[in-house]
Amino acid sequence: EAGVTQSPTHLIKTRGQQATLRCSPISGHTSVYWYQQALGLGLQFLLWYDEGEERNRGNFPPRFSGRQFPNYSSELNVNALELEDSALYLCASSRGGDRPDTQYFGPGTRLTVL
Amino acid sequence: DQQVKQNSPSLSVQEGRISILNCDYTNSMFDYFLWYKKYPAEGPTFLISISSIKDKNEDGRFTVFLNKSAKHLSLHIVPSQPGDSAVYFCAASEYGAQKLVFGQGTRLTINP
């Protein structure tokens, strides 16, 4: 069974640009979660998508947005990039439902903002 | 507001001994707890979980203990092996909140 995949592995952008990160969940999983791990910090919850809808978002500004496609894959978009957006962005998937079930993580996308 | 805290940023244990990683939480509504292991440049890997209706869950070398009155959980690894060297995160969720809350992580180093 294939795990959660993310692309690209690394992404380098300059301040003010937009970044798009992609995630494919484990087959059969309908929920996708996005987390940010800045250097030296824990995982901060960004967004949760389930069955194509945004179910919850963390304490991040609106320039962090995303969507989930009919095949349950997901995109995270970060607009107007700032230097402090440099971080490892992790995607996780789980079976759908009313609560976050055990989540399985992808390898992450390392975003560097110059 | 850090609802899940791992107060030890690092822990060093000799191979073959027991590793005990600790986690405290403040939200009494949390009812599901998980431990993840993370190697550098990889995503976290699920290890073990426990529901608040239990006080212990065991899976091979890994045992998680939950003390609800103290709002404390711990992960025991016995015996510790070199491959256990990683960063360990505890996480918690409450029904309806629709997210996991992670601690800051503890870096475990197993010495030969």
Side-chain angles (χ1 to χ4, degrees):
Chain A
E1 179 187 85
V4 177
T5 59
Q6 292 186 245
S7 64
T9 306
H10 294 89
L11 189 58
I12 299 175
K13 294 284 186 179
T14 57
R15 195 170 51 184
Q17 285 188 314
Q18 178 196 39
T20 298
L21 290 65
R22 296 179 176 84
C23 172
S24 291
I26 291 172
S27 177
H29 286 187
T30 61
S31 280
V32 169
Y33 308 80
W34 288 95
Y35 293 87
Q36 181 196 66
Q37 186 183 21
L39 192 63
L41 298 179
L43 281 72
Q44 302 295 316
F45 169 73
L46 264 168
L47 289 160
W48 176 15
Y49 291 96
D50 183 57
E51 295 285 357
E53 293 188 6
E54 182 180 302
R55 297 289 295 272
N56 199 10
R57 66 178 293 130
N59 294 325
F60 282 84
R63 57 192 186 81
F64 287 83
S65 65
R67 54 180 172 167
Q68 186 178 33
F69 300 98
N71 67 353
Y72 303 114
S73 66
S74 177
E75 268 183 8
L76 173 68
N77 296 294
V78 188
N79 295 317
L81 285 165
E82 300 179 1
L83 296 179
E84 52 264 34
D85 296 334
S86 293
L88 180 67
Y89 289 84
L90 291 160
C91 171
S93 75
S94 74
R95 294 171 299 187
D98 293 331
R99 69 170 305 149
D101 198 349
T102 301
Q103 298 176 17
Y104 298 87
F105 285 81
T109 293
R110 172 73 62 185
L111 173 64
T112 302
V113 183
L114 303 175
Chain B
D1 178 25
Q2 191 71 26
Q3 296 187 66
V4 178
K5 297 180 183 179
Q6 294 176 256
N7 292 317
S8 298
S10 63
L11 176 67
S12 186
V13 175
Q14 195 167 4
E15 182 179 359
R17 300 285 190 117
I18 182 172
S19 295
I20 301 176
L21 296 104
N22 294 302
C23 181
D24 297 298
Y25 61 96
T26 57
N27 186 345
S28 58
M29 299 301 292
F30 286 148
D31 61 354
Y32 186 60
F33 305 87
L34 309 91
W35 283 94
Y36 285 84
K37 177 170 77 171
K38 186 179 185 299
Y39 293 119
E42 293 184 13
T45 302
F46 169 72
L47 272 177
I48 192 169
S49 63
I50 187 168
S51 164
S52 60
I53 62 173
K54 296 184 175 181
D55 54 18
K56 176 183 174 181
N57 189 25
E58 194 172 352
D59 184 2
R61 295 186 299 115
F62 302 92
T63 303
V64 56
F65 295 91
L66 176 62
N67 182 334
K68 289 185 290 294
S69 60
K71 295 190 180 66
H72 177 83
L73 68 155
S74 61
L75 174 68
H76 292 209
I77 305 173
V78 182
S80 299
Q81 300 174 354
D84 296 330
S85 295
V87 177
Y88 288 78
F89 292 95
C90 67
S93 75
E94 62 174 290
Y95 187 85
Q98 300 171 339
K99 67 177 181 180
L100 287 180
V101 180
F102 283 83
Q104 301 287 76
T106 296
R107 181 176 300 280
L108 175 64
T109 302
I110 305 302
N111 301 308

